[in-house]
Amino acid sequence: MYILEQPVSVLKGVGPKKQEYLRSIGIETLRDLLYCFPREYEDRIYSFTMAELPHGHRAGTRAFVSGSPRTKRIRKGFTLTRVPLTDGTARGFAVWFNNPYTARQLKVNGEYYFFGRVERRMGSLQIQNPQAIEVCDGVKGYRGSIAPIYSKRGKLRPGDFERMIKGALTVAAGRLEDILPDDFRREYGLKDIEFCLKNIHFPANIKSLEKARYRLVFEELFLLQFGLLLMKKELRDKGEGIVFEQVPGETGFIYSLPFSLTGAQERVWAEIKEDMESDRIMNRLLQGDVGSGKTVVAALALLKAAQNGYQGALMVPTEILAEQHFLTLTGILSDFSLHIELLTGSCSAGQRKEIYNGIAGGDIDIIIGTHSLIQEGVEFKRLGLVITDEQHRFGVRQRSALVAKGTNPDILVMTATPIPRSLALILYGDMDLSIIDEMPPGRKRVETYVIGEKVRDRAYGFLEKQLKEGRQAYVVCPLIEDTELVDARSAICVYEELTEKLSGKYKLELLHGKVGGQTKEEIMRDFRDGRTHMLVSTTVIEVGVNVPNANIMVIENAERFGLAQLHQLRGRVGRGESQSYCILINGSGSRTAHSRMKVLAESNDGFLISEKDLQLRGPGDFFGTRQHGLPGFSIASLPQDIETLKHVQSAALQLLEDPHFLRDAKWEGLIHSIKSFFDETRLPAGVI
Ligand code: ADP
Ligand code: MG
């Protein structure tokens, strides 16, 4: 048995009662305990002069005692002891409440390190209840300068917790098996596990802490990344998927299209086709910028499934998108006498019943719909292919709910959010990746400008000119309504301004998150059908909604959005014949913001833009948009550890290629850990 899997009861002072309590807060083994890492550290290195000591924080300084202690009673039963200090930059006091003893041991004119809470009040400086350690031979004389601070766990006292950790380290010392073998650690510059566990809790110094943290972050990301890749490999090797045969329809369909496929479309279709024709279960992510032509690829896959006698389902997040796909697919697949239906929340009870019957009886070949598809009454006769579009709106669970309605159906997940490769590998490491990185020909580039507030009027003048020529426009704002807390323009306020200016001539609508679902769909339909000329909105305008006549977008306070998000917004224009424009108003006046936004003016490449965004802002946005069902990290933190992640990924890919990997005993510990890592976090069944 691995030492870390010993129960906490092997520790001194942990009897049955305490063990039970620890279990209730999720700590059963030594591993559970030792992998509760400190939340932060107190830097007790004496980095501050007295003049710099920060008010309200625990901090340390090095100072001389410049007088004898004075103790006075401040209230009944309360004493306050003060010792004057100086270090040449400022004067102040060390003060102790109800503790005259520490102060009495200090020598007048002696030099000490003081560490405690800093209070500055009306020109006076105090360090409260400090530790005081005599300076002997410079800073070296002071040990243990970095102290761990743990998050509160249940009702355990911090001291108690620290003692248990120390106990666990002692018990485990010399008996820890490293799940990462020596040669691997040497190759990637990783310290051994004993060193790391010791130093993550009680760092000898900053360097050791950094090394310990690097390894533990590496280990955590590696378990996840390698685990995902391993699952993908296992799924591939298992071969329990449906084998779709070659069908004659495909070529005819491609010829029937009014355009020829782009090289990228051909490539991803070949990848998908290969998966479908093999006996492995397809689990593939199809990424492609807005307008890159994912729908045709989906149509090809659905057609192939149908011609093999299987049913296909396409799930999208909104009714409007479902309708749009339904119209497109019934149009382009009209030659194949397939039965295609649309199932959304708007279907009447009668319609729904009929569709349910059609799905259960197998009359319906292709069903397109919203969440309605995963409702209980929906049962398929022979579901063979599941496609979800704009996947970031669906959690893994919703996807698995649909997948569970078939027996090992192939899965294709489509997304218009370009995700940098490093993140895609860890968020979707269990999936194969297909990328459409080429736009259909003849697409005009959206001319993009970054301007300051001073020329806003000119921008709106230009927008009005487009309206006059019969085009439609979007104006996007970061806020719904004005607030004193944020200095930015709101949709309501901009809508009112523009209404006053333009309402005689054009019809404007306001759209934001507080507008109800039904009204929202109506507003979108009016805009799509040209009854409305201009839409003033927050970022709620639908991804993927196609209004080719809308050719201009103005984004207010564009500095408040991430680049990837701006690019997504911009994707609403540039879908028609006429030249399109996107005007980004920099409301901050900041030069940095300006040059950041310039990336958009210069590039149309979603992947490049999202890479830049990742460098500039970290991956919060990407993680935020998906309820990914992945475990929370206990030490890794992705904005910070993205470089480590890249090393982890190349290590994981390399190990995966190693033909001896599974046979070599030195990796047993790792395999064991991966299994418990994924068990504990209960990765949804559909993914594995
Ligand atoms: P998205 O990837 O955003 O879902 P769509 O599939 O909706 O993109 O395609 C956007 C538009 O481009 C549609 O009008 C579609 O007919 C057209 N299109 C798709 N592929 C091609 C192509 N190879 N050549 C020309 N136009 C294409
Ligand atoms: Mg689409």
Side-chain angles (χ1 to χ4, degrees):
M1 193 186 196
Y2 297 98
I3 180 74
L4 286 180
E5 290 179 2
Q6 301 275 349
V8 280
S9 55
V10 301
L11 296 176
K12 258 194 237 133
V14 180
K17 235 177 115 187
K18 186 135 189 199
Q19 185 181 12
E20 195 44 47
Y21 180 69
L22 288 171
R23 188 203 307 275
S24 77
I25 57 171
I27 300 173
E28 293 185 43
T29 63
L30 295 187
R31 173 197 304 280
D32 296 337
L33 189 60
L34 287 175
Y35 278 69
C36 287
F37 300 120
R39 171 168 50 90
E40 54 183 326
Y41 299 85
E42 253 170 21
D43 179 1
R44 293 190 183 170
I45 291 171
Y46 294 86
S47 37
F48 297 100
T49 64
M50 282 179 68
E52 293 164 345
L53 278 172
H55 169 74
H57 291 271
R58 289 174 64 76
T61 191
R62 176 174 169 165
F64 289 96
V65 172
S66 57
S68 334
R70 295 239 173 106
T71 299
K72 60 180 180 185
R73 271 165 58 105
I74 42 176
R75 234 174 322 129
K76 202 168 170 204
F78 269 94
T79 65
L80 180 78
T81 305
R82 306 206 302 178
V83 173
L85 308 176
T86 181
D87 72 342
T89 67
R91 295 180 165 277
F93 293 93
V95 304
W96 288 267
F97 298 98
N98 283 351
N99 169 11
Y101 318 106
T102 311
R104 280 185 210 149
Q105 293 170 15
L106 305 179
K107 295 176 226 151
V108 177
N109 293 327
E111 192 180 15
Y112 296 84
Y113 298 114
F114 293 93
F115 186 88
R117 186 183 163 79
V118 179
E119 279 285 330
R120 291 179 176 278
R121 279 247 169 82
M122 293 185 284
S124 93
L125 167 65
Q126 290 190 345
I127 309 176
Q128 296 175 342
N129 298 318
Q131 281 190 324
I133 292 155
E134 192 167 5
V135 178
C136 315
D137 46 348
V139 185
K140 270 186 267 152
Y142 184 66
R143 287 197 182 282
S145 58
I146 308 168
I149 300 176
Y150 298 94
S151 305
K152 192 149 173 50
R153 275 166 226 275
K155 45 182 197 204
L156 289 179
R157 273 168 300 151
D160 218 17
F161 195 67
E162 224 177 286
R163 246 190 316 281
M164 284 195 297
I165 298 234
K166 281 196 177 123
L169 283 171
T170 315
V171 169
R175 298 165 65 194
L176 285 161
E177 300 89 354
D178 205 316
I179 59 170
L180 304 176
D182 294 350
D183 51 347
F184 181 85
R185 286 204 320 271
R186 223 171 298 123
E187 189 174 347
Y188 294 99
L190 307 170
K191 287 283 186 185
D192 68 82
I193 189 66
E194 182 156 347
F195 174 92
C196 294
L197 286 177
K198 263 190 195 150
N199 278 285
I200 201 72
H201 290 290
F202 305 106
N205 52 49
I206 289 274
K207 270 251 146 5
S208 308
L209 173 58
E210 277 170 1
K211 286 186 184 138
R213 186 175 185 281
Y214 182 76
R215 182 235 148 97
L216 292 165
V217 168
F218 192 107
E219 176 182 312
E220 180 166 53
L221 291 172
F222 192 77
L223 284 178
L224 175 59
Q225 180 67 79
F226 192 64
L228 287 168
L229 291 170
L230 213 55
M231 283 195 293
K232 176 162 86 176
K233 194 172 144 79
E234 274 174 20
L235 194 69
R236 285 194 151 258
D237 296 347
K238 212 158 65 177
E240 290 172 354
I242 302 163
V243 178
F244 296 93
E245 305 289 335
Q246 297 242 15
V247 286
E250 177 192 328
T251 330
F253 172 66
I254 293 176
Y255 277 125
S256 76
L257 292 169
F259 45 75
S260 46
L261 296 182
T262 62
Q265 281 169 320
E266 270 177 15
R267 193 188 63 239
V268 300
W269 170 236
E271 290 162 0
I272 292 167
K273 200 162 93 146
E274 198 192 324
D275 277 0
M276 289 183 77
E277 287 173 4
S278 84
D279 61 3
R280 54 177 188 258
I281 303 170
M282 174 163 76
N283 195 22
R284 190 171 279 280
L285 180 70
L286 175 58
Q287 285 193 62
D289 233 336
V290 174
S292 62
K294 295 183 290 295
T295 316
V296 182
V297 177
L300 276 159
L302 289 165
L303 176 65
K304 187 175 183 73
Q307 294 202 320
N308 271 277
Y310 283 91
Q311 294 169 298
L314 171 59
M315 181 162 72
V316 300
T318 65
E319 290 194 7
I320 258 203
L321 279 174
E323 277 172 26
Q324 191 172 295
H325 275 312
F326 178 73
L327 290 175
T328 311
L329 290 175
T330 42
I332 56 182
L333 292 170
S334 58
D335 291 350
F336 297 91
S337 60
L338 297 173
H339 187 175
I340 306 179
E341 283 290 350
L342 176 67
L343 179 66
T344 68
S346 306
C347 291
S348 68
Q351 285 170 321
R352 188 167 315 143
K353 191 151 173 255
E354 207 168 297
I355 291 176
Y356 281 11
N357 285 338
I359 298 177
D363 306 335
I364 292 177
D365 301 300
I366 296 174
I367 182 79
I368 297 158
T370 54
H371 294 87
S372 306
L373 289 178
I374 53 180
Q375 247 130 43
E376 244 174 54
V378 182
E379 271 167 42
F380 287 83
K381 177 141 190 257
R382 242 186 144 204
L383 179 62
L385 175 67
V386 167
I387 305 183
T388 59
D389 192 11
E390 311 299 352
Q391 119 313 318
H392 59 276
R393 301 277 203 88
F394 294 114
V396 174
R397 269 170 219 18
Q398 286 158 314
R399 199 198 316 149
S400 347
L402 185 52
V403 169
K405 291 182 183 290
T407 310
N408 292 341
D410 278 355
I411 304 164
L412 182 66
V413 172
M414 305 200 290
T415 173
T417 316
I419 304 167
R421 185 180 147 76
S422 54
L423 289 186
L425 252 176
I426 192 121
L427 282 172
Y428 304 101
D430 58 320
M431 307 186 95
D432 291 296
L433 217 56
S434 285
I435 297 178
I436 305 186
D437 51 5
E438 180 188 352
M439 283 297 195
R443 204 57 59 85
K444 289 201 190 85
R445 197 179 157 127
V446 179
E447 271 183 39
T448 302
Y449 303 95
V450 185
I451 63 167
E453 294 207 288
K454 279 192 214 126
V455 283
R456 171 185 280 121
D457 285 347
R458 262 176 58 199
Y460 280 104
F462 182 68
L463 180 146
E464 203 180 331
K465 211 171 120 214
Q466 298 301 317
L467 294 180
K468 204 185 263 166
E469 287 174 17
R471 304 281 91 77
Q472 288 162 281
Y474 297 98
V475 176
V476 182
C477 305
L479 301 176
I480 297 182
E481 55 197 330
D482 280 2
T483 147
E484 282 171 13
L485 298 174
V486 186
D487 180 22
R489 312 243 301 155
S490 72
I492 291 180
C493 158
V494 170
Y495 173 74
E496 279 165 4
E497 268 176 39
L498 291 173
T499 305
E500 198 166 306
K501 214 164 101 188
L502 300 171
S503 66
K505 301 178 251 178
Y506 304 104
K507 188 163 181 316
L508 286 71
E509 278 285 6
L510 175 66
L511 190 63
H512 51 69
K514 290 189 186 160
V515 176
Q518 219 44 47
T519 323
K520 187 177 153 192
E521 301 246 0
E522 265 162 43
I523 291 175
M524 280 313 298
R525 280 191 188 99
D526 282 348
F527 189 69
R528 179 189 66 192
D529 301 340
R531 287 187 290 275
T532 305
H533 304 106
M534 182 166 168
L535 213 51
V536 181
S537 76
T538 54
T539 56
V540 297
I541 30 175
E542 287 307 338
V543 182
V545 165
N546 202 14
V547 186
N549 189 46
N551 78 327
I552 181 163
M553 172 177 282
V554 173
I555 303 181
E556 292 275 359
N557 294 99
E559 76 281 0
R560 306 191 73 90
F561 299 101
L563 295 182
Q565 196 179 11
L566 288 173
H567 178 66
Q568 283 272 311
L569 287 169
R570 174 170 69 175
R572 305 322 184 261
V573 294
R575 291 161 168 254
E577 296 291 305
S578 52
Q579 177 59 51
S580 287
Y581 306 92
C582 178
I583 301 175
L584 306 172
I585 303 181
N586 176 8
S588 70
S590 137
R591 276 181 176 277
T592 329
H594 187 92
S595 53
R596 186 169 70 91
M597 286 185 262
K598 271 286 197 198
V599 173
L600 272 122
E602 281 150 18
S603 172
N604 220 356
D605 176 343
F607 284 94
L608 188 141
I609 290 167
S610 72
E611 278 294 348
K612 278 263 190 265
D613 208 25
L614 178 63
Q615 283 165 22
L616 291 166
R617 289 162 42 105
D621 284 3
F622 299 104
F623 279 91
T625 51
R626 181 177 183 232
Q627 312 144 287
H628 43 62
L630 294 178
F633 295 122
S634 63
I635 188 164
S637 133
L638 274 174
Q640 196 181 341
D641 297 321
I642 194 81
E643 281 311 309
T644 312
L645 178 64
K646 289 182 182 161
H647 295 304
V648 162
Q649 289 172 337
S650 76
L653 290 168
Q654 206 174 321
L655 183 58
L656 204 68
E657 294 296 301
D658 180 355
H660 305 299
F661 164 66
L662 281 170
R663 267 171 278 141
D664 199 328
K666 70 180 181 182
W667 292 107
E668 258 172 31
L670 178 74
I671 296 289
H672 183 79
S673 295
I674 287 177
K675 285 198 178 126
S676 49
F677 189 77
F678 280 100
D679 264 5
E680 272 166 31
T681 53
R682 279 176 221 98
L683 209 72
V687 174
I688 305 176

